[in-house]
C-alpha cells in the first residue's frame, strides 16, 4: 500500500509538472503548435519535433520584437488546417505606424508530394523513387517578410525549413534550407555591415567556410534575371543541406534562426523615426515592385506553395507588400542616392572584410 501511495504521489507530481510545462510553452508561442504540445513532448527527441519547437519559438521571438516597435498595431493570429495533413499559424500585422505589413508564418504540412513539386525537386538533382507514383512527405518551416513604412528602414525576409520524403523502399530523404536577406530602398553601409556581420557570426560558430559560401549563394539566388540586378543586398541562403549529420545541420539552422532578431531589429530602431520626402517614398514603391517581380517569378518557396494541393494561398502571398508601383522607363539621375543602391544591386559587395 505504501509503494502504491508513493507511486500515485509521483504520478500526480509528474502530471502537475507536465501541465506547468504545457502552460509555459503556450505562453511562449503565438498559438498552440500544429502537432499539439502532447505529441511534441512525446516525440521530443525526434528531430521533427525539435524543429517544430524551433520554428514556433522563432515566430514568437520575431513577432514580439516587431510588436514592441509598433505598439499601436497588433498581430492577427490565424491558425489554419490543411485537409491533406497538417496546417499552420499565420501572424500578420498590417498598417501599423512602423510596419506597413509584417508577416511571420509557421507551417507544418504532410501528405503526398504533387507530381509538379516532385518534378521541381528532381530538376535540382534529387533522385526520388516513388512507390506507385506516390511520395509521402513532411515539410515544416518559419518564414517572414517585413515591409516597413519608412523608406529608410529596409525590408527583411527570412525562412528556415526542414523536409522529409519517404521513398519506395522506406528510405527517408531529409534536408534543410533557408536564409535571411535584407532589401534596403537606400543604402546605409553601417546597417549592411551590421546585418552581414551578425549572420557571419552565426555561421562561424559552425564553420568559417559557411558564411562566404552562403553569402554568394544568396547573391546568386535573389537575382532578377530580366532586370540584371539582385533583389537586395543579400545575406545568407542555402538549400538541400543534408550533411555532415542531421544534428549538426539542425544546430547550424538553429544558430541562423536565433540571429534574425539581432541582425534586423536594431536597424529598424535606428531609422523608424527618420524623416523622408515624397520622392523617397516613391522610390520605395518602385523598389517594392521589383520585390514582387522576384517573388512571383523566381522564388522557390512561392512556386512550391502554389504547386502543393490544399496549400493556403493567403500565407504564400503574405510576402507581397500592401503597396507597390511600376512606372514606365523610370531611371534615377546619375550619382543620386537611388543610383547608388542600384550599383550595389548590380555588383554585390563584400560587407564584412
Amino acid at each position: 500500500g505504501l509503494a502504491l501511495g508513493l507511486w500515485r504521489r509521483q504520478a500526480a507530481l509528474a502530471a502537475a509538472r507536465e501541465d506547468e510545462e504545457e502552460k509555459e510553452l503556450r505562453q511562449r508561442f503565438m498559438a498552440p503548435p500544429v502537432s499539439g504540445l502532447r505529441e511534441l513532448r512525446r516525440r521530443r527527441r525526434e528531430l521533427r519535433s525539435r524543429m517544430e519547437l524551433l520554428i514556433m519559438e522563432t515566430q514568437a521571438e520575431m513577432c514580439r520584437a516587431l510588436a514592441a516597435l509598433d505598439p499601436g498595431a497588433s498581430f492577427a493570429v490565424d491558425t489554419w488546417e490543411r485537409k491533406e495533413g497538417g496546417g499552420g499559424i499565420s501572424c500578420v500585422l498590417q498598417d501599423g505606424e512602423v510596419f506597413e505589413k509584417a508577416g511571420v508564418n509557421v507551417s507544418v504540412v504532410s501528405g503526398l508530394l504533387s507530381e509538379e513539386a516532385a518534378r521541381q525537386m528532381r530538376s535540382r538533382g534529387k533522385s526520388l523513387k516513388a512507390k506507385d507514383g506516390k511520395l509521402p512527405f513532411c515539410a515544416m518551416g518559419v518564414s517572414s517578410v517585413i515591409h516597413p513604412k519608412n523608406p529608410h528602414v529596409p525590408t527583411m525576409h527570412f525562412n528556415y525549413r526542414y523536409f522529409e520524403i519517404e521513398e519506395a523502399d522506406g528510405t527517408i530523404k531529409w534536408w534543410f534550407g533557408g536564409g535571411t536577406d535584407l532589401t534596403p530602398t537606400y543604402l546605409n553601409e553601417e546597417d549592411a555591415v551590421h546585418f552581414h556581420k551578425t549572420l557571419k557570426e552565426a555561421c562561424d560558430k559552425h564553420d568559417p567556410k559557411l558564411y562566404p559560401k552562403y553569402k554568394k549563394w544568396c547573391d546568386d539566388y535573389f537575382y532578377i534575371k530580366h532586370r540584371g540586378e539582385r533583389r537586395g543586398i543579400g545575406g545568407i541562403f542555402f538549400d538541400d543541406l543534408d550533411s555532415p549529420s542531421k544534428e549538426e545541420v539542425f544546430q547550424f539552422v538553429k544558430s541562423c534562426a536565433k540571429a534574425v532578431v539581432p541582425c534586423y531589429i536594431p536597424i529598424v530602431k535606428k531609422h523608424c523615426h527618420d524623416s523622408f520626402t515624397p520622392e523617397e517614398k516613391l522610390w520605395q514603391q518602385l523598389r517594392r515592385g521589383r520585390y514582387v517581380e522576384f517573388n512571383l517569378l523566381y522564388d522557390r518557396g512561392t512556386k512550391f506553395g502554389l504547386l502543393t494541393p490544399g496549400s493556403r494561398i493567403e500565407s504564400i502571398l503574405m510576402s507581397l507588400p500592401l503597396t507597390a508601383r511600376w512606372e514606365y522607363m523610370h531611371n534615377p539621375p546619375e550619382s543620386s542616392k537611388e543610383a547608388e543602391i542600384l550599383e550595389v544591386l548590380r555588383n554585390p559587395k563584400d560587407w564584412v572584410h
Side-chain angles (χ1 to χ4, degrees), residues 99-217:
F99 303 108
E100 185 182 285
K101 189 176 179 194
V104 194
N105 279 350
V106 153
S107 64
V108 180
V109 298
S110 55
L112 297 173
L113 208 58
S114 74
E115 197 38 61
E116 208 37 60
R119 199 173 303 134
Q120 195 190 323
M121 285 174 184
R122 288 191 180 107
S123 74
R124 304 206 313 263
K126 294 206 169 295
S127 58
L128 302 171
K129 298 185 259 314
K131 186 179 185 173
D132 309 323
K134 291 184 172 62
L135 281 165
F137 82 98
C138 158
M140 61 180 72
V142 56
S143 74
S144 173
V145 177
I146 297 146
H147 294 291
K149 282 197 163 162
N150 193 313
H152 298 292
V153 183
T155 283
M156 187 258 224
H157 155 259
F158 72 85
N159 169 286
Y160 290 99
R161 57 193 180 275
Y162 173 67
F163 230 96
E164 269 184 13
I165 288 183
E166 190 183 330
E167 294 194 286
D169 60 0
T171 310
I172 300 283
K173 281 250 171 86
W174 60 269
W175 66 91
F176 288 86
T180 304
D181 62 282
L182 198 69
T183 304
T185 301
Y186 288 96
L187 184 64
N188 179 304
E189 298 235 349
E190 208 177 80
D191 298 344
V193 169
H194 163 80
F195 185 79
H196 277 269
K197 271 200 162 149
T198 311
L199 294 177
K200 182 182 184 297
E201 279 161 22
C203 294
D204 285 356
K205 280 183 201 163
H206 302 270
D207 184 345
K209 290 199 223 50
L210 297 178
Y211 169 76
K213 182 181 173 184
Y214 297 151
K215 190 256 183 213
K216 184 184 183 314
W217 197 339

Side-chain angles (χ1 to χ4, degrees), residues 10 23-24 36 42 51 69 73-74 82 88 91 99 111 115-116 122 136 247 250 258 260 278 280 283 290 307 320 352:
Q10 281 173 332
K23 210 159 82 188
E24 188 206 324
R42 200 171 62 77
M51 182 65 179
L69 294 178
S74 61
R82 179 175 168 271
C91 298
F99 303 108
E115 197 38 61
E116 208 37 60
R122 288 191 180 107
E247 184 59 35
F250 173 69
K258 293 288 172 204
V260 292
E280 287 170 333
W283 177 243
R290 300 285 207 269
L307 297 174
L320 303 181
V352 294

Side-chain angles (χ1 to χ4, degrees), residues 248-263:
E248 283 168 285
V249 185
F250 173 69
Q251 292 301 336
F252 165 65
V253 168
K254 188 174 180 175
S255 295
C256 295
K258 293 288 172 204
V260 292
V261 168
C263 74

Side-chain angles (χ1 to χ4, degrees), residues 4 42 50 111 150 208 244 300 350:
L4 187 63
R42 200 171 62 77
R50 290 162 67 204
N150 193 313
R300 206 178 272 178
D350 175 355

Side-chain angles (χ1 to χ4, degrees), residues 317-333:
L317 298 182
M318 171 210 80
S319 63
L320 303 181
L322 273 189
T323 60
R325 186 179 173 100
W326 286 265
E327 269 187 28
Y328 183 67
M329 300 296 279
H330 183 281
N331 281 312

